[in-house]
Amino acid sequence: MAVLTARSHQTLVEDVPGPPDQVQAYYVDLTNIADVHPLVVSVRAVARSEPPGGYTQTWRVKDRIPLGPVTLPTTYSARLQVSEDGPVRAEARQFPAVQLNSVVSFDAVPDGTRLTESIEIIAPRPLLGITVRQAVAAHKEMLAGIRRHFAGG
């Protein structure tokens, strides 16, 4: 019997007091994200390719997923496609059949960078609600952490 999946689309926005190129460079180095993403325990680069116009970086990520009174460790792959002149695309695949796809833009605004993350979350139907709640909360905190990093605190 196949497990039916469902999907949710979310958009998160954070204004960061830093230039777009520096904010993007910080964001795409997932070793930095381990410092600002509340679920990430560690990150390790595993592969990189450099097609024309950018590069693709694959990472191995260790998370801690809270489920009530217990925390489950999980390890998964995340792949970032970084373009020289466009948004960053990311995909993460996690057990059981959870996918997070995102498109992140870094737009100049008068006080720095508007970081916009458009997220698509796909999960088995029974897990979608909790997966969306945890992912959105974690990514809001991650974006706020990036803002704090560039604000100097």
Side-chain angles (χ1 to χ4, degrees):
M1 181 173 142
V3 174
L4 298 177
T5 59
R7 63 188 68 227
S8 175
H9 295 273
Q10 307 288 323
T11 300
L12 305 175
V13 178
E14 187 77 42
D15 286 349
V16 178
D21 60 333
Q22 290 180 20
V23 175
Q24 179 177 346
Y26 184 86
Y27 179 92
V28 300
D29 181 351
L30 291 194
T31 59
N32 294 323
I33 299 306
D35 294 334
V36 294
H37 192 295
L39 303 180
V40 174
V41 175
S42 66
V43 178
R44 177 175 54 89
V46 293
R48 182 178 171 120
S49 64
E50 299 196 18
Y55 67 90
T56 299
Q57 180 82 49
T58 303
W59 302 84
R60 199 79 181 135
V61 180
K62 290 184 180 181
D63 266 7
R64 57 182 176 263
I65 306 296
L67 286 174
V70 278
T71 301
L72 301 176
T74 186
T75 302
Y76 59 93
S77 293
R79 185 174 67 169
L80 274 68
Q81 296 174 326
V82 181
S83 160
E84 289 175 356
D85 58 0
V88 171
R89 298 182 184 282
E91 347 175 304
R93 303 292 180 261
Q94 194 174 52
F95 178 83
V98 173
Q99 299 176 38
L100 188 145
N101 303 308
S102 66
V103 177
V104 182
S105 61
F106 305 85
D107 299 309
V109 294
D111 292 331
T113 302
R114 176 154 298 139
L115 198 161
T116 304
E117 184 179 31
S118 298
I119 307 169
E120 174 189 48
I121 301 164
I122 304 167
R125 194 169 300 280
L127 297 178
L128 185 66
I130 191 168
T131 302
V132 169
R133 282 190 301 278
Q134 287 182 345
V136 168
H139 281 241
K140 281 182 179 178
E141 179 55 33
M142 175 186 73
L143 298 182
I146 293 170
R147 178 185 35 77
R148 287 191 299 273
H149 170 81
F150 280 90

